[in-house]
Amino acid sequence: MRMPRRSARHILDDSYALAYPALRSAVEEFPEAIQHPVGVHFGWWDRAGNALRSNPGKSLRSALVILSCQALGGSIRQALPAALAVEMVHNASLLHDDIIDNDRLRRGRASLWSAMGVPAAILAGDALFFGSLHALTGAPHADRTVPVFLAAVQNLIEGEYVDTLMEKDTTATLDDALDMIAGKTAELLSCACTLGAILSGAEDERVQHLSRFGLLLGVAFQCTDDVLGIWGDPEATGKPARSDLRSRKLSVPIALALNENGPPAERLRALYRREAPPTEAESRVIADELERHGVRGAVVDLARENAGEALAALHSCDPDPVTSEELAELTKMILQRSS
Ligand code: FPP
Ligand code: MG
């Protein structure tokens, strides 16, 4: 029987409800002392150990694993080990990323390093990373899933490192920025789809279409993230206003703008090369100027183009129709999201 289609919010909530018990059980297996900072990061409890019910994150990656598995005829049960693994490694990478980016806010709360110190955040990230490997190695098809997962993590590490190298690099091109975000973000979304597809037991060709869907969706996701990093509402993003501009990140909108001619691009280049970071007022002026010159619109269009190609790749894998509609819902949400 064809089930009614769920909204994106509903899909993400369901995925969280499915992955959460597995995540809690996995964290309970960690050495006792490290469980505390891990739970603070997830918003399960505060630093004093009082239970909380705060924003745990989007659960997008676990939803992609589950839906990719279902799209090719697999079940939720088959997908769960990989859903757990990608959620864990994603959170590990965020813990380390907030230290690298010196970001004090994540999901509207203090980032773990700013709440409990850098050692706690590094080691909570390490525990989650090793926990993610543990989740996959003990599950079926580990001979196929673990190499895919390890390759994705290496790409993630490379993408993040290139991101740090590109900071304040006013010579970077749009292609440099797109390559960097493919590694930093899109590889893990692609990995989520690939793992779900492998766990369904489908043949390689169909798996590859879903890998490509995830990669293009990831590029669209990060383009939207970069738009929010400059023009997002801090109430919705849970991050400071214009955070990417204040820290002079070489995001996709900035790479586009730096490669333009004319006074706004020159002003931006000067500000990115200067010793002192932009002030609050300067970051506001740049954000407005970039928007007036169509940079925001161009990145939104780029996100749309990648999402369109992602959906074409999805349809090539001959997916289950209801699941395909739900993946399309998630794609739409990724383009329209404000957080
Ligand atoms: C967020 O980007 C960062 C990532 C998506 C990847 C971070 C990757 C690593 C730290 C390397 C891998 C590490 C482990 C432990 C597996 P962003 O800074 O643009 O986004 P944000 O605004 O959400 O911080
Ligand atoms: Mg960051």
Side-chain angles (χ1 to χ4, degrees):
M1 190 182 70
R2 200 180 153 91
M3 300 294 284
R5 193 182 70 180
R6 295 171 296 170
S7 68
R9 183 68 269 151
H10 198 157
I11 296 165
L12 294 178
D13 287 348
D14 285 352
S15 302
Y16 181 71
L18 288 165
Y20 174 77
L23 185 56
R24 277 305 275 258
S25 307
V27 172
E28 276 165 21
E29 298 290 313
F30 289 2
E32 205 175 329
I34 203 72
Q35 293 180 27
H36 180 53
V38 169
V40 172
H41 164 71
F42 281 115
W44 297 340
W45 43 71
D46 63 16
R47 279 177 60 194
N50 302 309
L52 295 177
R53 283 180 62 82
S54 47
N55 176 5
K58 284 188 262 301
S59 290
L60 171 65
R61 289 149 190 85
S62 47
L64 287 176
V65 176
I66 294 168
L67 291 181
S68 298
C69 187
Q70 291 181 311
L72 302 190
S75 67
I76 293 172
R77 188 183 48 78
Q78 284 171 302
L80 267 185
L84 176 63
V86 293
E87 241 5 278
M88 284 171 114
V89 80
H90 170 57
N91 280 281
S93 77
L94 294 182
L95 284 166
H96 289 187
D97 176 69
D98 283 338
I99 299 169
I100 293 166
D101 289 349
N102 201 29
D103 276 341
R104 294 179 168 273
L105 264 186
R106 167 77 59 191
R107 298 172 181 155
R109 331 182 263 281
S111 57
L112 190 62
W113 73 266
S114 70
M116 296 188 66
V118 169
I122 290 176
L123 295 167
D126 292 345
L128 282 168
F129 176 48
F130 278 91
S132 67
L133 272 177
H134 188 65
L136 272 190
T137 49
H141 299 291
D143 57 324
R144 286 176 76 197
T145 57
V146 172
V148 167
F149 186 72
L150 291 178
V153 174
Q154 290 288 23
N155 285 326
L156 204 65
I157 292 168
E158 185 189 29
E160 178 79 349
Y161 183 53
V162 171
D163 190 8
T164 66
L165 296 178
M166 278 169 65
E167 251 166 52
K168 296 189 223 161
D169 175 3
T170 55
T171 65
T173 64
L174 176 62
D175 281 347
D176 293 333
L178 289 172
D179 281 350
M180 182 270 288
I181 69 168
K184 183 179 75 166
T185 302
E187 280 290 343
L188 190 58
L189 270 67
S190 177
C191 172
C193 297
T194 311
L195 296 180
I198 290 174
L199 290 172
S200 77
E203 60 275 22
D204 271 355
E205 198 189 327
R206 294 177 83 200
V207 174
Q208 277 164 24
H209 287 308
L210 271 173
S211 304
R212 185 165 162 72
F213 164 72
L215 191 72
L216 293 160
L217 187 70
V219 173
F221 179 91
Q222 189 61 44
C223 285
T224 309
D225 210 63
D226 285 357
V227 166
L228 295 174
I230 298 180
W231 297 283
D233 171 5
E235 284 287 316
T237 61
K239 296 172 193 166
R242 296 175 294 284
S243 52
D244 284 0
L245 269 184
R246 302 293 302 278
S247 57
R248 289 185 282 190
K249 276 212 149 197
L250 209 293
S251 61
V252 172
I254 297 299
L256 253 182
L258 286 172
N259 285 281
E260 295 286 312
N261 292 316
E266 276 157 29
R267 271 195 289 279
L268 185 65
R269 276 193 287 273
L271 213 63
Y272 263 58
R273 284 188 192 133
R274 197 176 80 183
E275 191 63 38
T279 61
E280 171 69 30
E282 283 170 332
S283 75
R284 200 184 295 270
V285 169
I286 303 173
D288 291 347
E289 203 161 60
L290 294 182
E291 181 150 22
R292 268 201 312 281
H293 283 80
V295 172
R296 179 179 183 165
V299 180
V300 168
D301 287 347
L302 201 55
R304 258 196 224 118
E305 276 165 36
N306 278 278
E309 287 180 38
L311 290 176
L314 170 65
H315 293 134
S316 306
C317 78
D318 189 22
D320 162 70
V322 174
T323 314
S324 172
E325 278 182 37
E326 293 194 339
L327 283 165
E329 274 301 295
L330 282 187
T331 305
K332 200 164 78 187
M333 179 278 293
I334 279 173
L335 294 178
Q336 293 173 348
R337 75 201 171 95
S338 57
S339 64

